[in-house]
Amino acid sequence: LYPDPDFDLNKFNECVAERRAVLDHQNKDIAEALDLLREYWSLCHQTVTDERRALAFARAAAAVKCLPFKVTNPRQLKGIKDLGDGHALRVATQIVESGHSQEVEEKRNDKKFLSFQIFCKVFGVGPSIAKKWYAMGLRTAEDVKKRFDQLDVSKDNMISYGMAFYDDLNRPLQLVEAENTYKHITALAQRILPSVVTSMIGGFRRGKSSGHDLDVLFSYPEREHNEHGLIAAVREELDKKGLVVWSRYSRADGPRGVEIDSSPLPAGSAKDHLLVIMIILKYPLDGHFDQLERRDFSTEKNLGLFQLADSARPWRAIRVDLVGSTTAQYPYAQIGWTGNKQYNRCLRQYAKDAFNYSLSSTGLYDKRQHRWLPAQTERDVFDHLKLSYREPWERNF
Ligand code: GTP
Ligand code: MN
Ligand code: MN
């Protein structure tokens, strides 16, 4: 039945977290169809059932990406856990049989879906805002621009920037551009804290040649972190050089956290170059947080729009995420921020089901023994979970 004689369906089904998915997998047409349905339901969902449907399609698409052979016969799809025996299997079968699925093509061209896609491409906009805009009769990016002042989001800094830099931010960032920016940021951080360890994470670490942003992870000892806030210092240096277009910094020390927006308003506005700083106490001060949450809060990160030199004009805006972690959290932060998102979902679910562990990008917590499991490398984390190590490029679920 399978072209790969070593393929063992039982083993494939036994543990989803043991599967590997490379970018260049063998069932792109099926995965594309299932991912489109996932996107459709995650953007256009109305009910909890629709959200569940999105997750089911995400799992189904991931399963297909993990198959070590090209599916040529619908019988090869039978019995695959996560593909189920209903909707996803039906769509996958249609693609194998005819290369075409009526349902997928209808959804792909669905007017409402197309509008939701356009809206969600605005930095700062998710399905709930898209839904509001659609209900107000907006359909295109032009509509949003024209009626922006009437939208109650017009004071939301992030979305204003999302609109002002819509084209820039939807132009894919190429690997070489990401690498150059990464080197620049690393050099700057090393001047502030010579012992800092940085790595490029996110999609580029998984082997993608372009992406929607650059993700950089910083690691430094806890005491440096508490005294300084290295990410804040790096952000400030970039700002001094005039390279920050917009940024949102957040840090949490125990139950208390701060969030700071620091940004000149978009070019062309009367308040050009005005620095807006908002400080919000995000979390209450009475410490009724359990240990897990407390640890989750002890990180700093900065979502930003930075300037990137451009050949055609002085600069264009790109998305950069800077994430800080203590040395103890580093391997967990690496896994969590390398992704992809579906791979993390799967790992976290597995950790919970198999060991009653809670896995996050700040650590692995044993809920039975009430203790954190220490790790120095990503391999240690896989060992704790009794999983074979997976390279970053095998985590493209
Ligand atoms: P592209 O950027 O589109 O190329 O893909 P990507 O996989 O790099 O996506 P993204 O930059 O959005 O996220 C990278 C990883 O960080 C993913 O695994 C996300 O799940 C994770 N991530 C994103 N936002 C957060 C967050 O707020 N908290 C945590 N813990 N993880 C996050
Ligand atoms: Mn990314
Ligand atoms: Mn990111």
Side-chain angles (χ1 to χ4, degrees), residues 202-203 206 208 211-213 215 301 336-341 344 361:
R206 300 196 311 275
K208 285 174 67 175
H212 100 285
D213 69 351
D215 305 285
K301 76 179 174 203
W337 288 90
T338 292
N340 65 11
K341 200 171 170 183
N344 282 337
S361 29

Side-chain angles (χ1 to χ4, degrees), residues 202 212-215 303 319-321 337:
H212 100 285
D213 69 351
L214 162 67
D215 305 285
L303 308 182
R319 280 270 299 110
V320 179
D321 286 340
W337 288 90

Side-chain angles (χ1 to χ4, degrees), residues 2-185:
Y2 308 111
D4 178 351
D6 293 334
F7 180 71
D8 178 343
L9 182 63
N10 288 330
K11 206 166 149 215
F12 187 80
N13 283 341
E14 198 173 273
C15 180
V16 179
E18 278 284 348
R19 295 177 186 168
R20 52 182 110 213
V22 293
L23 280 172
D24 201 15
H25 66 85
Q26 307 196 54
N27 295 290
K28 296 216 174 109
D29 44 356
I30 310 175
E32 194 274 336
L34 296 172
D35 268 330
L36 185 120
L37 296 179
R38 170 194 56 76
E39 190 188 358
Y40 179 89
W41 290 111
S42 73
L43 296 190
C44 301
H45 67 259
Q46 302 282 347
T47 63
V48 180
T49 314
D50 292 345
E51 283 177 70
R52 267 193 227 121
R53 215 171 251 160
L55 288 173
F57 279 116
R59 282 195 302 273
V64 163
K65 293 172 197 172
C66 293
L67 287 173
F69 57 87
K70 182 167 173 62
V71 178
T72 51
N73 179 336
R75 277 170 48 222
Q76 294 162 341
L77 297 167
K78 276 247 169 78
I80 293 175
K81 200 173 121 194
D82 292 327
L83 203 51
D85 50 11
H87 204 157
L89 179 65
R90 196 166 65 237
V91 172
T93 301
Q94 288 165 356
I95 300 286
V96 176
E97 282 175 343
S98 67
H100 180 91
S101 156
Q102 184 74 18
E103 179 187 355
V104 172
E105 293 320 306
E106 275 167 18
K107 294 255 174 4
R108 196 194 302 280
N109 298 306
D110 183 284
K111 291 256 161 52
K112 181 176 167 186
F113 177 52
L114 290 170
S115 291
F116 272 55
Q117 277 182 315
I118 292 169
F119 298 160
C120 289
K121 272 161 58 182
V122 179
F123 174 55
V125 174
S128 64
I129 290 172
K131 194 171 162 181
K132 261 192 231 159
W133 289 359
Y134 192 83
M136 292 172 68
L138 306 181
R139 295 294 178 266
T140 63
E142 275 308 304
D143 293 348
V144 177
K145 245 180 218 159
K146 263 188 241 147
R147 291 177 56 188
F148 199 70
D149 290 340
Q150 298 161 25
L151 306 175
D152 57 357
V153 298
S154 58
K155 286 189 201 71
D156 185 309
N157 219 296
M158 203 173 193
I159 298 175
S160 310
Y161 279 82
M163 283 310 293
F165 295 97
Y166 188 86
D167 292 335
D168 276 7
L169 300 178
N170 285 298
R171 180 170 144 194
L173 183 67
Q174 300 304 319
L175 177 61
V176 53
E177 298 169 329
E179 274 171 344
N180 288 337
T181 310
Y182 167 72
K183 278 181 205 151
H184 186 101
I185 291 173

